[in-house]
Amino acid sequence: MLKVVKVRLYPDAQQQQSLAQAFGSCRWLWNYCLNLMNQTYKETGKGLSGYAVKKIIPQLKKEHEWLTLTYSQCLQQVCLNLGVAFNNFFEKRAKYPRFKSKHGKQSIQYSQNVKVADNYVTLPKIGDVTAIIHRQIEGKIKTVTISKNCSNQYFAAILFDDGKDKPESNTDGKAIGIDLGLTHFAVTSDGSKFDNPRVLNKHEKNLKLKQQKLSRKQKGSQNRIKSRKRVAIVHRKITNYREDFLHKLSRRIVNENQVIVVENLNVKGMMQNHCLAKSIHQVGWGMFCTMLKYKAEMSGKIYQEVDRFFPSSKTCHVCLNQVDSLPLDIRFWTCENCRTKHDRDVNAAINLRDEGLRILTPGTGDKACRPDVSHSNRGRKKSTTALSVGQEAYCGSFASL
């Protein structure tokens, strides 16, 4: 099973200079090959693959001798990564590859000849770099990615194969539904509510002052470079705070539950709402779901997503009655059919859990929402029918959960 451990590096002055040179060489090669691919397509109508541009590296080394100072495997990996970037673009998994800048995060990748010891990492043409190895690395090392952020912090992401098989997942255990929101970051089907940390609000005043000072500095001056670093440090604090919260919460949920069901949110579309874009941006729903998914897979748990158009908030989880509309300002509502009083978020989490279990039940279908019915014409009777089938399947197969 493949695992990744990210460790902090502390290179000395000479090693920092060597790394900066390697970063610059790989960045230059990326931009050169990307420009070559663009020009070739414009002239011939055909593109170049990553393996095709890799063959021109020996010729480039003769023209630019400073490329020989960088480890050859790092240069070859740049071309291969560029080919992967184009494949991701054509398969609509990513945007079109962009040119890299020296202002921002820098990285290089080693595919072999890297050794990891107790307190240092040995890199070709760099030497032994002091590192804090906080987790044991057992198995064959696949790749090592060295990166430097805007705060001049160095990291090594070590990908290795521990030789163990991925644990088989099953549904024998506790199931939980999670409704993500802004007032409360997460509300679970068992009634637990986790407050939104609102990380950006705690550092917003400090960040504003640092950015104002940066805007007043002359472009290209040393004072502007120092001010840019101060702004980067504040952003790094915000990132660390958010990641720490998300890691701890996701680990707690995975440890306590066997089946985890969340809603497949369209975060990019929700960001179009200018009134909520800032709050949605700082909360980190996408990162949280990613953490839940890979931690569940590594622990033999099940991570299941429910369609974003599933009416989880507007449906009574007791009698399956669905209301026509439920504005966001209504946090509690009473079902007209069974007179049950619902907490909006808890009710949505319970419905998500039931729908996720229905999807996991063999022979009950893949989705509760009708894909052949448009969203504007999706009526009350059709949604109620789909929900009834899901609830019956859930009660028949997972009543013990």
Side-chain angles (χ1 to χ4, degrees):
M1 184 169 58
L2 296 177
K3 292 185 178 181
V4 178
V5 174
K6 189 174 182 180
V7 301
R8 178 77 181 272
L9 300 180
Y10 295 91
D12 55 28
Q14 181 63 33
Q15 292 171 344
Q16 289 184 19
Q17 184 177 359
S18 300
L19 286 173
Q21 191 170 21
F23 291 146
S25 299
C26 293
R27 183 178 64 248
W28 180 89
L29 182 61
W30 173 283
N31 294 339
Y32 180 88
C33 294
L34 179 56
N35 181 67
L36 179 63
M37 289 180 171
N38 294 339
Q39 293 296 331
T40 303
Y41 181 78
K42 290 180 180 178
E43 295 173 0
T44 64
K46 297 181 180 179
L48 296 175
S49 64
Y51 291 96
V53 295
K54 189 176 73 170
K55 297 179 181 179
I56 68 174
I57 294 180
Q59 181 63 28
L60 291 176
K61 286 185 177 181
K62 296 179 181 179
E63 300 176 2
H64 308 280
E65 295 183 358
W66 43 270
L67 283 176
T68 59
L69 300 177
T70 303
Y71 188 52
S72 60
Q73 295 290 335
C74 295
L75 299 177
Q76 295 176 14
Q77 199 65 35
V78 169
C79 300
L80 298 179
N81 291 342
L82 184 58
V84 173
F86 271 100
N87 290 336
N88 292 335
F89 166 72
F90 290 127
E91 295 179 8
K92 298 182 179 181
R93 291 194 299 262
K95 295 183 179 180
Y96 191 84
R98 298 183 299 177
F99 292 97
K100 292 188 176 182
S101 171
K102 65 179 180 180
H103 304 294
K105 181 181 178 180
Q106 309 294 321
S107 65
I108 56 175
Q109 191 174 63
Y110 292 89
S111 57
Q112 57 184 1
N113 297 332
V114 177
K115 298 180 181 179
V116 180
D118 294 335
N119 56 356
Y120 64 89
V121 176
T122 303
L123 303 175
K125 291 195 174 184
I126 302 294
D128 298 339
V129 183
T130 304
I132 298 180
I133 311 297
H134 60 282
R135 292 188 180 181
Q136 191 173 7
I137 300 175
E138 297 179 349
K140 182 180 180 181
I141 297 177
K142 297 293 186 179
T143 60
V144 177
T145 303
I146 310 299
S147 60
K148 186 191 77 168
N149 59 21
C150 298
S151 303
N152 292 335
Q153 296 176 332
Y154 294 83
F155 298 92
I158 305 171
L159 174 66
F160 64 97
D161 187 357
D162 59 1
K164 301 178 182 179
D165 296 332
K166 183 180 295 186
E168 296 182 0
S169 58
N170 57 78
T171 57
D172 298 334
K174 181 182 178 182
I176 191 173
I178 304 175
D179 180 65
L180 302 176
L182 295 177
T183 304
H184 292 93
F185 175 79
V187 179
T188 62
S189 55
D190 56 8
S192 300
K193 296 185 178 182
F194 302 94
D195 292 333
N196 184 357
R198 303 186 185 277
V199 185
L200 183 60
N201 294 348
K202 299 179 181 179
H203 300 271
E204 191 172 14
K205 184 177 180 180
N206 186 22
L207 181 62
K208 180 180 178 181
L209 295 176
K210 295 292 192 300
Q211 289 176 333
Q212 285 178 343
K213 293 181 180 180
L214 173 62
S215 64
R216 299 188 183 106
K217 298 295 186 291
Q218 184 179 359
K219 292 185 178 181
S221 64
Q222 290 297 321
N223 286 334
R224 185 177 179 85
I225 296 176
K226 295 177 182 178
S227 184
R228 185 188 295 117
K229 183 179 178 181
R230 296 189 186 101
V231 174
I233 291 175
V234 179
H235 279 293
R236 189 62 192 173
K237 289 181 179 179
I238 296 173
T239 302
N240 290 341
Y241 194 108
R242 181 188 298 112
E243 291 182 353
D244 179 71
F245 169 77
L246 297 179
H247 272 297
K248 290 179 179 178
L249 180 58
S250 60
R251 173 50 59 189
R252 174 181 173 180
I253 292 175
V254 171
N255 289 343
E256 295 177 354
N257 303 277
Q258 181 66 24
V259 179
I260 303 168
V261 184
V262 298
E263 188 176 6
N264 181 18
L265 296 174
N266 182 16
V267 180
K268 184 176 180 180
M270 297 170 68
M271 290 286 290
Q272 302 301 320
N273 184 347
H274 299 291
C275 298
L276 299 176
K278 184 178 180 180
S279 300
I280 295 174
H281 176 73
Q282 66 168 314
V283 74
W285 287 333
M287 184 183 297
F288 178 68
C289 293
T290 301
M291 292 179 180
L292 282 177
K293 184 176 182 179
Y294 82 78
K295 290 178 182 179
E297 291 178 353
M298 293 177 62
S299 303
K301 310 295 180 69
I302 294 180
Y303 172 85
Q304 180 64 46
E305 290 187 350
V306 175
D307 190 272
R308 67 190 60 164
F309 297 108
F310 177 74
S312 58
S313 299
K314 298 189 296 183
T315 304
C316 173
H317 71 273
V318 178
C319 65
L320 307 182
N321 179 51
Q322 181 179 335
V323 297
D324 295 330
S325 63
L326 192 66
L328 289 175
D329 58 341
I330 300 178
R331 310 313 301 177
F332 297 90
W333 61 282
T334 302
C335 178
E336 298 177 355
N337 187 24
C338 64
R339 309 307 300 175
T340 304
K341 187 175 182 180
H342 294 292
D343 183 314
R344 178 195 184 102
D345 299 327
V346 176
N347 177 67
I350 295 175
N351 284 326
L352 289 174
R353 180 199 63 187
D354 296 347
E355 174 62 11
L357 293 176
R358 186 200 66 82
I359 295 175
L360 295 173
T361 305
T364 60
D366 188 21
K367 295 181 179 179
C369 294
R370 298 272 299 274
D372 55 337
V373 179
S374 62
H375 308 322
S376 59
N377 297 329
R378 190 173 283 145
R380 176 176 176 181
K381 292 184 179 179
K382 295 177 181 177
S383 300
T384 304
T385 303
L387 283 169
S388 301
V389 174
Q391 289 285 354
E392 291 175 0
Y394 161 71
C395 296
S397 301
F398 290 92
S400 59
L401 298 178

